[in-house]
Amino acid sequence: MTRAVLSLGANLGDRAGALRTAVEALRADGLVARSVLYETPPWGPVEQPPYLNAVVFVRGDRDAAGWLARAHELEQAAGRTREVRWGARTLDVDVVTVTGDDGVPVLSDDPALTLPHPRAHERAFVLVPWLSLDPTAVLPGHGRVADLVAALPAEDVAAVVRWEHLQ
């Protein structure tokens, strides 16, 4: 058994519907908790519409590669294509962390799955929803999520806005 923190985002089509569908599908995989939705500006160099983002905790019989495979299945089911790096997408599911039942985080420098996620510590759209679910959360190798949020530029944190529609 492992526990994973997954970050979900969508900025094409029915954003909320894509996230709801993914969360519902994760119930069968051991969904433990989910954040509310947050609207966030796009991250990266590509011009695109704003995202809806959420973070979920799942616990199940998958290893880290299994959670990545599940993330890809969810993206594929939502019609995700990968033409442009950091481009707009119907659904993006990132594996942020995986922890064993013994509490030891899974660490990986494999290019196919780097754990913890190599840029999670600098992304308010991951950290703010995560902190809302678990105020004591720790990102392995980087420290407490609360401290990471506090260290981000204030404008990055302020841009992560709770989405009040269809929570």
Side-chain angles (χ1 to χ4, degrees):
M1 295 290 281
T2 60
R3 176 180 164 167
V5 176
L6 307 177
S7 174
L8 288 70
N11 72 339
L12 292 177
D14 179 3
R15 303 175 303 164
L19 295 177
R20 275 195 310 274
T21 298
V23 168
E24 194 57 39
L26 287 168
R27 288 190 193 288
D29 295 299
L31 179 70
V32 173
R34 72 163 183 91
S35 72
V36 298
L37 301 180
Y38 291 84
E39 190 164 57
T40 64
W43 195 92
V46 178
E47 182 82 23
Q48 57 189 300
Y51 277 83
L52 283 184
N53 291 98
V55 165
V56 300
F57 298 161
V58 288
R59 185 172 181 274
D61 287 330
R62 297 177 186 270
D63 61 7
W67 289 118
L68 180 63
R70 185 63 175 131
H72 288 167
E73 290 168 7
L74 293 168
E75 290 173 346
Q76 185 175 4
R80 164 84 186 263
T81 60
R82 296 179 183 269
E83 288 97 28
V84 178
R85 183 173 182 162
W86 293 316
R89 52 202 67 173
T90 55
L91 182 66
D92 183 45
V93 181
D94 287 333
V95 180
V96 180
T97 66
V98 176
T99 306
D101 263 356
D102 57 4
V104 175
V106 175
L107 305 177
S108 172
D109 59 4
D110 184 330
L113 178 59
T114 304
L115 289 173
H117 188 286
R119 290 172 299 283
H121 67 283
E122 58 193 26
R123 293 183 170 172
F125 66 83
V126 172
L127 298 174
V128 170
W130 188 3
L131 183 61
S132 76
L133 277 181
D134 183 0
T136 65
V138 173
L139 178 60
H142 295 280
R144 291 175 2 105
V145 171
D147 295 337
L148 296 172
V149 170
L152 290 172
E155 62 272 12
D156 289 3
V157 175
V160 179
V161 177
R162 185 181 169 123
W163 200 63
E164 299 297 334
H165 311 286
L166 304 173
Q167 292 292 333

